[in-house]
Amino acid sequence: MWHNVWSMVHLKGFATRNNLLEHRRLLSLINSMADGVIAVDEHSRVALYNASALNLLDLNTDIQNQPLVDVVKIYDKAKVEIDLQKLIDSAKTPVSSRDYLLHYNDSSEANLYLSIAPVHLGYGQAGQRGYVLVLRDITKEKSLEEEKDEFISVVSHELRTPVTIAEGSVSNVEFILDKTGDISDLKEALKQAHVQLIFLSELINDLATLSRAERGRLIVDVTAINAHDIIDGLVKSYEPEVKAKGLQLNTDIDPHLEVLYSSELYVKEILQNFITNALKYTSKGQITICAKQIKDGIEFQVSDTGIGISKSDQDKIFQKFYRSEDYRTRETKGTGLGLYVTKKLADLINAKITLDSELNKGSTFKISIPNIKKLQS
Ligand code: ADP
């Protein structure tokens, strides 16, 4: 196909053998480029193009000599078509932009990098003027950039409140000590600062796990896990908090649980996230931890009698930074990262999470964890 396309290219000044050789070299060079390249003549008709350009434009026809504006249609973010001819006419020196969009027939779109450079197509001779357009699909880069921007804005927003409160509380302490010397007010100011600093350290921990998970840096260290021991440990560590909130913590564990082959660290971290949430979003009643043997491993379950999760929120709570709009959720501190990280860890150990919840009744988070050794064999 390339032979056909390029053989149709008409460039002046290829009379000698050397020029012909150079021309072929140029063609094979352009053909090997991943970027789309289109050269147009002074009347903005296509004089040269490569396969990447056709791919990007989703065309499978010969575009030789066609008016560029018929072949390439670009849009801005507001979906308004850009006047490409005007862009070309104003390109006295090379210009480029990363803000254009291409629309496809199946109504999908791609972010486009486009550069336009005025050139002489006369190949070293005083000849025809024209323009070379370079086109690149930058959809992936753009979405990463957007995600990064969103991440930075959410994190800085999340950090601002606790840092301001902690700073205010500490400065209050200084003020009280300086002016009144009365230490009874100190306790409240220090408590406030402490709460905010705990939140900040949780946020930083979540972010650190998240960044390791996203970079694929987490290693699954498979060991033989005794689920009874894990649950006993969790119950011991959560009991004081459960009591302080006037709740009950129950367990319902299959006495015939087999050894589980998985990552003890991630299994613990996942269950901890479920229990921490159950505690956070339950003001009366009980939290129950269950474990039962399933065919390929163990199914754990953490149920609570808390505020519950609406159907529409159930689809969203595993998303990064998502927190329910429910005022009762907003009364508690949280990063909206816990379940997102939990899902990432679950994926790493091939575990499946299911959620059953009813608003104002309570929630049950289930996770079935397979034996990794059995899976691999
Ligand atoms: P965080 O708890 O820090 O907000 P998570 O990612 O752990 O973040 O949870 C996301 C959201 O899911 C919470 O903000 C809350 O709205 C909802 N949620 C999670 N667990 C429960 C639960 N046990 N009961 C009610 N809502 C919950």
Side-chain angles (χ1 to χ4, degrees), residues 57-115:
L57 298 169
D58 198 24
L59 294 172
N60 52 13
T61 51
D62 180 7
I63 59 172
Q64 190 73 31
N65 288 326
Q66 301 228 10
L68 181 73
V69 290
D70 290 352
V71 176
V72 182
K73 294 198 182 298
I74 55 173
Y75 298 83
D76 66 12
K77 274 188 198 135
K79 299 192 191 300
V80 177
E81 189 174 346
I82 305 276
D83 188 340
L84 189 53
Q85 189 57 55
K86 213 163 139 192
L87 269 187
I88 288 178
D89 292 342
S90 61
K92 303 292 175 231
T93 53
V95 289
S96 66
S97 169
R98 295 163 52 81
D99 292 327
Y100 299 134
L101 292 169
L102 283 173
H103 288 189
Y104 296 115
N105 283 341
D106 63 358
S107 68
S108 63
E109 49 183 38
N111 291 93
L112 182 72
Y113 162 86
L114 174 67
S115 84

Short mmCIF file of all heavy atoms in Angstrom, two decimals, residues 57-115:
data_model
loop_
_atom_site.label_atom_id
_atom_site.label_comp_id
_atom_site.label_asym_id
_atom_site.label_seq_id
_atom_site.Cartn_x
_atom_site.Cartn_y
_atom_site.Cartn_z
N LEU A 57 -6.69 9.16 11.91
CA LEU A 57 -7.93 9.77 11.39
C LEU A 57 -9.01 8.72 11.13
O LEU A 57 -10.12 9.05 10.73
CB LEU A 57 -7.63 10.53 10.09
CG LEU A 57 -6.64 11.69 10.25
CD1 LEU A 57 -6.20 12.23 8.89
CD2 LEU A 57 -7.26 12.81 11.09
N ASP A 58 -8.63 7.45 11.36
CA ASP A 58 -9.54 6.33 11.14
C ASP A 58 -10.05 6.31 9.69
O ASP A 58 -11.25 6.18 9.43
CB ASP A 58 -10.70 6.39 12.14
CG ASP A 58 -11.42 5.06 12.25
OD1 ASP A 58 -10.77 4.03 11.94
OD2 ASP A 58 -12.61 5.02 12.61
N LEU A 59 -9.11 6.46 8.75
CA LEU A 59 -9.47 6.46 7.33
C LEU A 59 -8.79 5.28 6.65
O LEU A 59 -7.69 4.89 7.05
CB LEU A 59 -8.98 7.74 6.65
CG LEU A 59 -9.62 9.05 7.12
CD1 LEU A 59 -8.89 10.23 6.51
CD2 LEU A 59 -11.10 9.10 6.74
N ASN A 60 -9.44 4.72 5.64
CA ASN A 60 -8.73 3.68 4.88
C ASN A 60 -8.78 3.97 3.38
O ASN A 60 -8.75 3.08 2.56
CB ASN A 60 -9.28 2.29 5.21
CG ASN A 60 -10.76 2.24 5.05
OD1 ASN A 60 -11.35 3.17 4.48
ND2 ASN A 60 -11.40 1.19 5.54
N THR A 61 -8.90 5.26 3.08
CA THR A 61 -8.91 5.64 1.66
C THR A 61 -7.69 6.48 1.35
O THR A 61 -7.04 7.00 2.25
CB THR A 61 -10.16 6.47 1.33
OG1 THR A 61 -10.23 7.53 2.29
CG2 THR A 61 -11.43 5.64 1.37
N ASP A 62 -7.42 6.60 0.08
CA ASP A 62 -6.31 7.42 -0.36
C ASP A 62 -6.71 8.90 -0.23
O ASP A 62 -7.75 9.31 -0.77
CB ASP A 62 -6.02 7.06 -1.83
CG ASP A 62 -4.86 7.87 -2.37
OD1 ASP A 62 -4.21 8.57 -1.57
OD2 ASP A 62 -4.62 7.79 -3.59
N ILE A 63 -5.92 9.67 0.49
CA ILE A 63 -6.31 11.07 0.69
C ILE A 63 -5.46 12.03 -0.15
O ILE A 63 -5.52 13.24 0.03
CB ILE A 63 -6.26 11.46 2.19
CG1 ILE A 63 -4.86 11.25 2.77
CG2 ILE A 63 -7.30 10.70 2.98
CD1 ILE A 63 -4.72 11.81 4.20
N GLN A 64 -4.65 11.44 -1.03
CA GLN A 64 -3.79 12.25 -1.89
C GLN A 64 -4.59 13.31 -2.65
O GLN A 64 -5.66 13.00 -3.20
CB GLN A 64 -3.11 11.30 -2.90
CG GLN A 64 -2.02 11.92 -3.71
CD GLN A 64 -0.78 12.15 -2.84
OE1 GLN A 64 -0.54 11.40 -1.91
NE2 GLN A 64 -0.03 13.17 -3.16
N ASN A 65 -4.09 14.53 -2.65
CA ASN A 65 -4.69 15.67 -3.36
C ASN A 65 -6.04 16.15 -2.81
O ASN A 65 -6.66 17.02 -3.40
CB ASN A 65 -4.88 15.35 -4.86
CG ASN A 65 -3.55 15.34 -5.55
OD1 ASN A 65 -2.66 16.11 -5.18
ND2 ASN A 65 -3.39 14.44 -6.52
N GLN A 66 -6.47 15.54 -1.73
CA GLN A 66 -7.76 15.98 -1.17
C GLN A 66 -7.53 17.26 -0.35
O GLN A 66 -6.48 17.42 0.27
CB GLN A 66 -8.29 14.91 -0.23
CG GLN A 66 -8.50 13.61 -0.93
CD GLN A 66 -9.86 13.05 -0.59
OE1 GLN A 66 -10.69 13.73 -0.01
NE2 GLN A 66 -10.08 11.83 -0.97
N PRO A 67 -8.54 18.14 -0.31
CA PRO A 67 -8.39 19.33 0.56
C PRO A 67 -8.25 18.89 2.01
O PRO A 67 -9.03 18.04 2.46
CB PRO A 67 -9.71 20.09 0.35
CG PRO A 67 -10.29 19.54 -0.91
CD PRO A 67 -9.81 18.14 -1.04
N LEU A 68 -7.25 19.42 2.68
CA LEU A 68 -6.99 18.99 4.07
C LEU A 68 -8.23 19.14 4.95
O LEU A 68 -8.53 18.28 5.77
CB LEU A 68 -5.84 19.82 4.66
CG LEU A 68 -5.47 19.45 6.08
CD1 LEU A 68 -4.74 18.12 6.13
CD2 LEU A 68 -4.65 20.53 6.76
N VAL A 69 -8.96 20.26 4.75
CA VAL A 69 -10.11 20.52 5.63
C VAL A 69 -11.22 19.47 5.47
O VAL A 69 -12.07 19.33 6.35
CB VAL A 69 -10.70 21.94 5.42
CG1 VAL A 69 -9.74 22.99 5.95
CG2 VAL A 69 -11.03 22.18 3.97
N ASP A 70 -11.20 18.73 4.34
CA ASP A 70 -12.19 17.66 4.18
C ASP A 70 -11.75 16.40 4.91
O ASP A 70 -12.56 15.54 5.26
CB ASP A 70 -12.37 17.30 2.70
CG ASP A 70 -13.07 18.42 1.94
OD1 ASP A 70 -13.53 19.36 2.61
OD2 ASP A 70 -13.14 18.34 0.69
N VAL A 71 -10.44 16.28 5.11
CA VAL A 71 -9.90 15.04 5.66
C VAL A 71 -9.73 15.12 7.18
O VAL A 71 -10.03 14.18 7.90
CB VAL A 71 -8.51 14.77 5.01
CG1 VAL A 71 -7.88 13.55 5.62
CG2 VAL A 71 -8.63 14.64 3.52
N VAL A 72 -9.24 16.27 7.65
CA VAL A 72 -8.97 16.43 9.08
C VAL A 72 -9.96 17.42 9.68
O VAL A 72 -9.99 18.58 9.27
CB VAL A 72 -7.53 16.94 9.32
CG1 VAL A 72 -7.25 17.04 10.82
CG2 VAL A 72 -6.52 16.06 8.64
N LYS A 73 -10.77 16.91 10.62
CA LYS A 73 -11.69 17.82 11.31
C LYS A 73 -11.34 17.78 12.79
O LYS A 73 -11.35 16.71 13.41
CB LYS A 73 -13.13 17.38 11.09
CG LYS A 73 -13.55 17.50 9.63
CD LYS A 73 -15.06 17.50 9.48
CE LYS A 73 -15.48 17.57 8.03
NZ LYS A 73 -15.03 18.81 7.35
N ILE A 74 -11.00 18.95 13.33
CA ILE A 74 -10.60 18.98 14.74
C ILE A 74 -11.54 19.90 15.51
O ILE A 74 -12.13 20.82 14.94
CB ILE A 74 -9.13 19.42 14.92
CG1 ILE A 74 -8.87 20.76 14.24
CG2 ILE A 74 -8.18 18.36 14.40
CD1 ILE A 74 -7.50 21.32 14.54
N TYR A 75 -11.65 19.59 16.80
CA TYR A 75 -12.62 20.31 17.63
C TYR A 75 -11.93 20.81 18.89
O TYR A 75 -10.90 20.27 19.30
CB TYR A 75 -13.77 19.36 18.03
CG TYR A 75 -14.52 18.85 16.82
CD1 TYR A 75 -14.03 17.76 16.09
CD2 TYR A 75 -15.69 19.47 16.40
CE1 TYR A 75 -14.70 17.31 14.95
CE2 TYR A 75 -16.36 19.02 15.27
CZ TYR A 75 -15.86 17.94 14.55
OH TYR A 75 -16.51 17.50 13.44
N ASP A 76 -12.55 21.82 19.52
CA ASP A 76 -12.02 22.24 20.82
C ASP A 76 -12.79 21.50 21.92
O ASP A 76 -13.67 20.68 21.61
CB ASP A 76 -12.07 23.77 20.98
CG ASP A 76 -13.49 24.31 21.02
OD1 ASP A 76 -14.43 23.50 21.14
OD2 ASP A 76 -13.66 25.54 20.92
N LYS A 77 -12.46 21.81 23.19
CA LYS A 77 -13.06 21.07 24.31
C LYS A 77 -14.57 21.23 24.35
O LYS A 77 -15.29 20.36 24.82
CB LYS A 77 -12.47 21.56 25.63
CG LYS A 77 -11.19 20.84 25.96
CD LYS A 77 -10.74 21.21 27.36
CE LYS A 77 -9.28 20.85 27.51
NZ LYS A 77 -8.47 21.87 28.13
N ALA A 78 -15.05 22.39 23.85
CA ALA A 78 -16.50 22.64 23.87
C ALA A 78 -17.19 22.01 22.65
O ALA A 78 -18.34 22.31 22.36
CB ALA A 78 -16.75 24.15 23.90
N LYS A 79 -16.45 21.15 21.93
CA LYS A 79 -16.94 20.43 20.75
C LYS A 79 -17.25 21.34 19.57
O LYS A 79 -18.08 21.03 18.72
CB LYS A 79 -18.18 19.58 21.10
CG LYS A 79 -17.89 18.52 22.16
CD LYS A 79 -19.03 17.54 22.28
CE LYS A 79 -18.94 16.63 23.46
NZ LYS A 79 -17.85 15.77 23.61
N VAL A 80 -16.64 22.51 19.55
CA VAL A 80 -16.82 23.43 18.42
C VAL A 80 -15.70 23.16 17.42
O VAL A 80 -14.53 23.06 17.80
CB VAL A 80 -16.76 24.90 18.91
CG1 VAL A 80 -16.87 25.86 17.71
CG2 VAL A 80 -17.83 25.16 19.94
N GLU A 81 -16.07 23.05 16.12
CA GLU A 81 -15.05 22.72 15.13
C GLU A 81 -14.07 23.88 14.95
O GLU A 81 -14.47 25.05 14.92
CB GLU A 81 -15.71 22.38 13.78
CG GLU A 81 -14.67 21.82 12.82
CD GLU A 81 -15.24 21.32 11.51
OE1 GLU A 81 -16.47 21.14 11.41
OE2 GLU A 81 -14.44 21.12 10.58
N ILE A 82 -12.79 23.53 14.88
CA ILE A 82 -11.75 24.55 14.70
C ILE A 82 -11.57 24.79 13.20
O ILE A 82 -11.59 23.85 12.40
CB ILE A 82 -10.40 24.02 15.25
CG1 ILE A 82 -10.54 23.57 16.70
CG2 ILE A 82 -9.27 25.01 15.03
CD1 ILE A 82 -10.41 24.64 17.72
N ASP A 83 -11.38 26.05 12.84
CA ASP A 83 -11.13 26.38 11.44
C ASP A 83 -9.67 26.07 11.11
O ASP A 83 -8.77 26.88 11.38
CB ASP A 83 -11.45 27.87 11.23
CG ASP A 83 -11.40 28.24 9.76
OD1 ASP A 83 -10.78 27.48 8.99
OD2 ASP A 83 -11.99 29.28 9.40
N LEU A 84 -9.44 24.87 10.56
CA LEU A 84 -8.07 24.40 10.32
C LEU A 84 -7.37 25.27 9.28
O LEU A 84 -6.16 25.55 9.38
CB LEU A 84 -8.12 22.93 9.88
CG LEU A 84 -6.79 22.20 9.78
CD1 LEU A 84 -5.99 22.30 11.06
CD2 LEU A 84 -7.01 20.73 9.43
N GLN A 85 -8.12 25.71 8.27
CA GLN A 85 -7.52 26.54 7.23
C GLN A 85 -6.97 27.83 7.83
O GLN A 85 -5.87 28.27 7.50
CB GLN A 85 -8.58 26.86 6.15
CG GLN A 85 -8.01 27.54 4.92
CD GLN A 85 -6.90 26.71 4.27
OE1 GLN A 85 -7.11 25.55 3.94
NE2 GLN A 85 -5.72 27.30 4.11
N LYS A 86 -7.73 28.38 8.77
CA LYS A 86 -7.30 29.63 9.41
C LYS A 86 -6.02 29.38 10.23
O LYS A 86 -5.09 30.20 10.20
CB LYS A 86 -8.41 30.12 10.35
CG LYS A 86 -8.49 31.62 10.45
CD LYS A 86 -9.84 31.98 11.03
CE LYS A 86 -9.72 33.10 12.04
NZ LYS A 86 -10.97 33.26 12.79
N LEU A 87 -5.98 28.21 10.89
CA LEU A 87 -4.78 27.86 11.67
C LEU A 87 -3.56 27.79 10.78
O LEU A 87 -2.50 28.30 11.11
CB LEU A 87 -4.98 26.48 12.32
CG LEU A 87 -5.59 26.35 13.70
CD1 LEU A 87 -5.51 24.91 14.17
CD2 LEU A 87 -4.86 27.25 14.68
N ILE A 88 -3.76 27.14 9.62
CA ILE A 88 -2.64 26.97 8.69
C ILE A 88 -2.19 28.34 8.15
O ILE A 88 -1.00 28.64 8.12
CB ILE A 88 -3.05 26.02 7.54
CG1 ILE A 88 -3.14 24.60 8.10
CG2 ILE A 88 -2.07 26.10 6.38
CD1 ILE A 88 -3.57 23.57 7.11
N ASP A 89 -3.17 29.15 7.76
CA ASP A 89 -2.84 30.45 7.19
C ASP A 89 -2.06 31.32 8.18
O ASP A 89 -1.23 32.14 7.78
CB ASP A 89 -4.12 31.19 6.77
CG ASP A 89 -4.79 30.49 5.58
OD1 ASP A 89 -4.10 29.69 4.91
OD2 ASP A 89 -6.00 30.71 5.36
N SER A 90 -2.34 31.10 9.48
CA SER A 90 -1.66 31.96 10.45
C SER A 90 -0.33 31.37 10.93
O SER A 90 0.37 31.98 11.73
CB SER A 90 -2.58 32.23 11.64
OG SER A 90 -2.87 31.00 12.27
N ALA A 91 0.01 30.17 10.45
CA ALA A 91 1.25 29.52 10.91
C ALA A 91 2.45 30.03 10.12
O ALA A 91 2.94 29.36 9.20
CB ALA A 91 1.11 27.99 10.80
N LYS A 92 2.94 31.20 10.50
CA LYS A 92 4.12 31.75 9.81
C LYS A 92 5.39 31.07 10.31
O LYS A 92 6.38 30.97 9.59
CB LYS A 92 4.23 33.26 10.06
CG LYS A 92 3.00 34.05 9.63
CD LYS A 92 2.81 34.08 8.12
CE LYS A 92 1.51 34.76 7.75
NZ LYS A 92 0.69 33.95 6.82
N THR A 93 5.35 30.64 11.56
CA THR A 93 6.45 29.84 12.14
C THR A 93 5.78 28.58 12.71
O THR A 93 4.54 28.55 12.83
CB THR A 93 7.14 30.61 13.29
OG1 THR A 93 6.12 31.01 14.20
CG2 THR A 93 7.92 31.81 12.80
N PRO A 94 6.54 27.54 13.09
CA PRO A 94 5.90 26.32 13.60
C PRO A 94 5.03 26.61 14.84
O PRO A 94 5.45 27.33 15.74
CB PRO A 94 7.09 25.42 13.97
CG PRO A 94 8.19 25.91 13.11
CD PRO A 94 7.98 27.40 12.96
N VAL A 95 3.82 26.07 14.83
CA VAL A 95 2.93 26.23 15.99
C VAL A 95 2.45 24.85 16.41
O VAL A 95 2.39 23.92 15.59
CB VAL A 95 1.69 27.10 15.66
CG1 VAL A 95 2.06 28.56 15.48
CG2 VAL A 95 0.93 26.59 14.45
N SER A 96 2.11 24.70 17.70
CA SER A 96 1.60 23.40 18.14
C SER A 96 0.60 23.59 19.29
O SER A 96 0.61 24.63 19.95
CB SER A 96 2.75 22.50 18.59
OG SER A 96 3.33 23.05 19.74
N SER A 97 -0.26 22.61 19.44
CA SER A 97 -1.22 22.65 20.55
C SER A 97 -1.55 21.23 20.99
O SER A 97 -1.52 20.29 20.19
CB SER A 97 -2.49 23.36 20.09
OG SER A 97 -3.49 23.18 21.08
N ARG A 98 -1.87 21.09 22.29
CA ARG A 98 -2.27 19.78 22.83
C ARG A 98 -3.74 19.78 23.21
O ARG A 98 -4.21 18.91 23.92
CB ARG A 98 -1.43 19.48 24.09
CG ARG A 98 0.05 19.31 23.83
CD ARG A 98 0.87 19.42 25.11
NE ARG A 98 0.39 18.55 26.16
CZ ARG A 98 0.66 17.26 26.26
NH1 ARG A 98 1.44 16.69 25.35
NH2 ARG A 98 0.18 16.54 27.24
N ASP A 99 -4.46 20.78 22.76
CA ASP A 99 -5.83 20.95 23.25
C ASP A 99 -6.93 20.62 22.25
O ASP A 99 -8.07 21.01 22.45
CB ASP A 99 -6.02 22.40 23.76
CG ASP A 99 -5.19 22.64 25.00
OD1 ASP A 99 -5.02 21.68 25.77
OD2 ASP A 99 -4.69 23.76 25.16
N TYR A 100 -6.60 19.93 21.17
CA TYR A 100 -7.64 19.63 20.19
C TYR A 100 -8.18 18.22 20.38
O TYR A 100 -7.55 17.36 21.00
CB TYR A 100 -7.09 19.77 18.76
CG TYR A 100 -6.60 21.16 18.46
CD1 TYR A 100 -5.37 21.35 17.83
CD2 TYR A 100 -7.36 22.28 18.79
CE1 TYR A 100 -4.90 22.63 17.56
CE2 TYR A 100 -6.90 23.56 18.53
CZ TYR A 100 -5.67 23.73 17.91
OH TYR A 100 -5.22 24.98 17.65
N LEU A 101 -9.35 18.02 19.78
CA LEU A 101 -9.99 16.69 19.84
C LEU A 101 -10.32 16.21 18.44
O LEU A 101 -10.63 17.02 17.56
CB LEU A 101 -11.30 16.77 20.63
CG LEU A 101 -11.22 17.07 22.13
CD1 LEU A 101 -12.59 17.37 22.69
CD2 LEU A 101 -10.63 15.87 22.87
N LEU A 102 -10.24 14.89 18.26
CA LEU A 102 -10.74 14.28 17.01
C LEU A 102 -12.01 13.52 17.37
O LEU A 102 -12.06 12.89 18.44
CB LEU A 102 -9.73 13.25 16.49
CG LEU A 102 -8.49 13.75 15.78
CD1 LEU A 102 -7.56 12.56 15.52
CD2 LEU A 102 -8.84 14.42 14.47
N HIS A 103 -13.01 13.58 16.53
CA HIS A 103 -14.23 12.81 16.80
C HIS A 103 -14.30 11.65 15.83
O HIS A 103 -14.03 11.80 14.65
CB HIS A 103 -15.48 13.69 16.59
CG HIS A 103 -15.64 14.71 17.67
ND1 HIS A 103 -16.74 15.49 17.81
CD2 HIS A 103 -14.81 15.06 18.69
CE1 HIS A 103 -16.59 16.30 18.84
NE2 HIS A 103 -15.42 16.05 19.39
N TYR A 104 -14.70 10.49 16.32
CA TYR A 104 -14.83 9.32 15.44
C TYR A 104 -16.30 8.98 15.23
O TYR A 104 -17.17 9.41 16.00
CB TYR A 104 -14.08 8.13 16.04
CG TYR A 104 -12.59 8.37 16.12
CD1 TYR A 104 -11.94 8.44 17.35
CD2 TYR A 104 -11.83 8.55 14.95
CE1 TYR A 104 -10.57 8.68 17.42
CE2 TYR A 104 -10.47 8.79 15.03
CZ TYR A 104 -9.84 8.86 16.25
OH TYR A 104 -8.49 9.10 16.32
N ASN A 105 -16.52 8.17 14.19
CA ASN A 105 -17.91 7.81 13.84
C ASN A 105 -18.66 7.10 14.96
O ASN A 105 -19.87 7.23 15.09
CB ASN A 105 -17.92 6.91 12.60
CG ASN A 105 -17.68 7.76 11.37
OD1 ASN A 105 -17.86 8.98 11.42
ND2 ASN A 105 -17.25 7.12 10.28
N ASP A 106 -17.91 6.30 15.75
CA ASP A 106 -18.60 5.57 16.83
C ASP A 106 -18.80 6.47 18.06
O ASP A 106 -19.01 5.99 19.16
CB ASP A 106 -17.81 4.31 17.22
CG ASP A 106 -16.45 4.65 17.78
OD1 ASP A 106 -16.09 5.86 17.83
OD2 ASP A 106 -15.71 3.73 18.17
N SER A 107 -18.70 7.76 17.85
CA SER A 107 -18.87 8.84 18.84
C SER A 107 -17.79 8.84 19.94
O SER A 107 -17.96 9.52 20.95
CB SER A 107 -20.29 8.90 19.41
OG SER A 107 -20.55 7.78 20.20
N SER A 108 -16.71 8.09 19.74
CA SER A 108 -15.59 8.21 20.68
C SER A 108 -14.73 9.40 20.22
O SER A 108 -14.92 9.92 19.12
CB SER A 108 -14.77 6.93 20.70
OG SER A 108 -14.21 6.70 19.44
N GLU A 109 -13.81 9.82 21.07
CA GLU A 109 -12.94 10.92 20.67
C GLU A 109 -11.52 10.69 21.17
O GLU A 109 -11.29 9.86 22.05
CB GLU A 109 -13.49 12.26 21.16
CG GLU A 109 -13.89 12.29 22.62
CD GLU A 109 -14.50 13.63 23.04
OE1 GLU A 109 -15.25 14.23 22.25
OE2 GLU A 109 -14.21 14.04 24.17
N ALA A 110 -10.58 11.41 20.58
CA ALA A 110 -9.18 11.28 20.99
C ALA A 110 -8.62 12.68 21.20
O ALA A 110 -8.97 13.61 20.49
CB ALA A 110 -8.38 10.56 19.90
N ASN A 111 -7.76 12.80 22.23
CA ASN A 111 -7.05 14.07 22.41
C ASN A 111 -5.91 14.11 21.40
O ASN A 111 -5.21 13.12 21.21
CB ASN A 111 -6.46 14.15 23.82
CG ASN A 111 -7.54 14.28 24.86
OD1 ASN A 111 -8.00 13.29 25.41
ND2 ASN A 111 -7.97 15.50 25.11
N LEU A 112 -5.74 15.28 20.79
CA LEU A 112 -4.79 15.38 19.68
C LEU A 112 -3.71 16.41 19.96
O LEU A 112 -4.00 17.53 20.37
CB LEU A 112 -5.58 15.78 18.43
CG LEU A 112 -4.77 15.89 17.14
CD1 LEU A 112 -4.38 14.51 16.65
CD2 LEU A 112 -5.58 16.63 16.08
N TYR A 113 -2.45 15.97 19.73
CA TYR A 113 -1.37 16.95 19.65
C TYR A 113 -1.23 17.27 18.18
O TYR A 113 -1.16 16.36 17.34
CB TYR A 113 -0.07 16.34 20.19
CG TYR A 113 1.16 17.09 19.76
CD1 TYR A 113 1.60 18.19 20.50
CD2 TYR A 113 1.86 16.75 18.62
CE1 TYR A 113 2.73 18.91 20.09
CE2 TYR A 113 2.97 17.45 18.21
CZ TYR A 113 3.40 18.54 18.94
OH TYR A 113 4.50 19.24 18.54
N LEU A 114 -1.22 18.55 17.85
CA LEU A 114 -1.10 18.93 16.44
C LEU A 114 -0.03 20.00 16.31
O LEU A 114 -0.06 21.00 17.03
CB LEU A 114 -2.44 19.48 15.94
CG LEU A 114 -2.43 20.06 14.53
CD1 LEU A 114 -2.20 18.98 13.48
CD2 LEU A 114 -3.75 20.79 14.22
N SER A 115 0.92 19.77 15.41
CA SER A 115 1.86 20.85 15.12
C SER A 115 1.80 21.15 13.63
O SER A 115 1.59 20.25 12.80
CB SER A 115 3.27 20.48 15.58
OG SER A 115 3.90 19.72 14.59
#
